[in-house]
Amino acid sequence: MTSKDAPKPGKTKTQARSAARLYAVQALFQMEQSDQTFDKVIVEFLDHRFGATYEEGEFAEGDPKLFRHLVREAVNFQAKIDQMTDRALVAKWPIARIDPTLRALFRAAGAEFVESDTPVKVVINEYVDIARAFFPEGKEASFVNAVLDHMAREARPEAF
């Protein structure tokens, strides 16, 4: 890990990893909406969002290594992740019909299920928290919890 990859002083590794997950969801959403490549979006986020300070406030410092990994693997394994998500959804609501923010969230979480050793409960809790941040008044967090539980059981049945 280089100093460029290290979180700012005073930030815990857990906070940096949580921020990286949030940024990955945002980056995947942005990629879908703008047709940008993951390389361009990764550079934009690392240069302009991680730890940046604006009038509105300070952006959290994320774990760049985890962020890069999640975005790249969500793209590289998108077909597999989308199929897992589709199997977890009700037949009348395929992934193409759900909210694009939730689609980005499922892809980031799916990348973590498929290509990391993070405990599934941690992954589920982290992304349910992200759903609450995006949809504080809705039932989306419960929906996300149910879909991610199904995806986790498919991706890593040994964890249950």
Side-chain angles (χ1 to χ4, degrees):
M1 177 187 276
T2 66
S3 60
K4 181 180 171 186
D5 290 339
K8 284 186 175 178
K11 302 291 181 190
T12 68
K13 185 177 179 179
T14 301
Q15 289 170 321
R17 292 178 65 79
S18 294
R21 290 179 177 102
L22 173 64
Y23 289 142
V25 171
Q26 292 173 328
L28 292 167
F29 175 89
Q30 181 173 321
M31 287 172 57
E32 182 176 329
Q33 299 303 308
S34 67
D35 291 327
Q36 288 179 295
T37 65
F38 66 77
D39 288 324
K40 283 187 177 186
V41 171
I42 287 171
V43 168
E44 178 186 327
F45 271 73
L46 293 175
D47 289 350
H48 300 291
R49 298 209 189 171
F50 275 48
T53 303
Y54 297 101
E55 279 185 25
E56 304 85 42
E58 184 176 340
F59 283 81
E61 187 67 45
D63 178 333
K65 184 177 177 183
L66 177 61
F67 170 74
R68 282 188 210 98
H69 175 77
L70 292 174
V71 173
R72 284 189 178 123
E73 298 311 317
V75 171
N76 290 337
F77 291 96
Q78 183 173 325
K80 179 178 183 174
I81 293 165
D82 285 358
Q83 290 168 3
M84 282 190 336
T85 306
D86 271 338
R87 286 189 287 274
L89 295 169
V90 178
K92 293 181 182 180
W93 288 99
I95 192 166
R97 285 189 66 189
I98 65 171
D99 180 273
T101 303
L102 292 176
R103 197 167 35 248
L105 185 149
F106 292 139
R107 288 175 178 158
E112 224 167 327
F113 289 142
V114 172
E115 288 296 311
S116 84
D117 58 357
T118 305
V120 295
K121 289 183 181 188
V122 171
V123 175
I124 292 170
N125 287 336
E126 287 283 317
Y127 288 98
V128 167
D129 286 346
I130 292 170
R132 282 190 190 108
F134 282 116
F135 305 99
E137 303 298 321
K139 296 180 182 178
E140 287 83 357
S142 296
F143 172 67
V144 165
N145 187 53
V147 171
L148 292 181
D149 182 71
H150 189 282
M151 290 172 67
R153 289 174 188 276
E154 180 178 335
R156 295 206 228 147
E158 71 283 356
F160 293 90

